[in-house]
Amino acid sequence: MLEKLRKQLQQLTPQRLDHIVMPEAAVLLPIVERPAPTLLFTRRASHLSTHSGQVAFPGGKREPFDSDLYATALREAEEEIALDPALVQPLGRLSDVISLHGIRVTPWVGIIPPDLPLMADPGELDAIFEVPLSHFLDDHRTHTDVITVDGVAHYVPSYHVAGHVIWGLSAMMLVELLAEGFGMPIDLYQRPQGPLRHHPERKNRLSTSSTTATGSAPSRSNQ
């Protein structure tokens, strides 16, 4: 499974939004190399002023001293969950996404060994947890959030796992990982079966429109 993922991501040409001038951030999608591989998530601490209690991948804003955005993702993962950068096997990057707060986020995928002594930074996180990749590949979504940006509907899966809710920007990144890395028939722009939960329509923060990886809709928005 992971070797196939490696080959698929090496062939992927992700959408880059380098032409858009805005703050940059990066996240790491850590796949734990178990007999049944898992995907590692974090939960933001409840005392934070923004994104409190939300499930996310390790990551954060780029600092001036970061050599590139992959370095940002590794540094943030080390700061947030004590993940040694030397233990990450990089597989590649996914398409840039634009957060609701006007930040360009670049996702990176990497493989990490199982049972590392990871530790959540209490200033930022209150949980680290893993979810089997099979949970997503078998599409065990509880419902689909319909997030409409500039008239374009995004069908974003929402997963409830052991009291955690995975949705929004993290779920959008996950959709590309599943579709491009594993060939799963999942798409942000095609209405799926099952219950829908509609959210108020939003306007893109960008002064000029840009295209998504499908080349037909505005940039993806955060939750």
Side-chain angles (χ1 to χ4, degrees):
M1 174 188 287
L2 297 187
E3 185 56 35
K4 175 184 176 181
L5 174 63
R6 186 191 308 274
K7 293 178 179 178
Q8 291 296 108
L9 292 186
Q10 287 176 348
Q11 298 172 4
L12 177 66
T13 302
Q15 181 197 25
R16 303 173 68 107
L17 301 178
D18 299 335
H19 60 288
I20 300 174
V21 179
M22 58 173 49
E24 297 175 291
V27 299
L28 179 67
L29 279 63
I31 297 176
V32 185
E33 193 172 14
R34 300 187 181 280
T38 63
L39 193 56
L40 185 145
F41 296 88
T42 66
R43 188 178 65 203
R44 308 295 293 174
S46 58
H47 62 75
L48 295 176
S49 58
T50 59
H51 305 302
S52 60
Q54 291 185 3
V55 169
F57 296 109
K61 290 185 179 180
R62 183 176 187 172
E63 297 291 350
F65 51 79
D66 291 334
S67 58
D68 54 28
L69 285 165
Y70 181 58
T72 298
L74 292 181
R75 176 183 55 77
E76 286 285 342
E78 184 173 24
E79 293 176 0
E80 290 186 351
I81 63 174
L83 174 60
D84 184 347
L87 298 178
V88 181
Q89 301 177 42
L91 296 187
R93 64 180 286 172
L94 301 177
S95 296
D96 293 341
V97 292
I98 305 299
S99 79
L100 178 63
H101 300 281
I103 299 173
R104 186 172 78 239
V105 184
T106 300
W108 298 85
V109 183
I111 296 175
I112 64 174
D115 305 318
L116 294 176
L118 302 178
M119 182 177 300
D121 176 1
E124 296 193 43
L125 307 174
D126 60 19
I128 303 171
F129 64 98
E130 298 176 32
V131 179
L133 273 172
S134 61
H135 184 88
F136 305 112
L137 291 168
D138 293 338
D139 204 355
H140 290 302
R141 71 180 75 192
T142 53
H143 66 272
T144 299
D145 290 302
V146 184
I147 302 175
T148 302
V149 183
D150 292 344
V152 178
H154 298 63
Y155 295 97
V156 186
S158 180
Y159 308 91
H160 292 206
V161 185
H164 303 290
V165 180
I166 303 166
W167 76 296
L169 196 69
S170 296
M172 288 181 173
M173 298 174 187
L174 181 54
V175 165
E176 184 176 23
L177 175 67
L178 297 172
E180 301 293 345
F182 296 100
M184 181 176 171
I186 187 171
D187 191 317
L188 286 173
Y189 305 99
Q190 297 295 324
R191 177 174 177 167
Q193 296 181 344
L196 303 179
R197 183 173 298 175
H198 291 265
H199 295 259
E201 182 168 354
R202 297 167 180 167
K203 294 295 182 182
N204 203 312
R205 283 196 172 199
L206 304 180
S207 57
T208 58
S209 63
S210 58
T211 59
T212 64
T214 64
S216 61
S219 299
R220 299 167 188 167
S221 170
N222 192 10
Q223 48 209 37

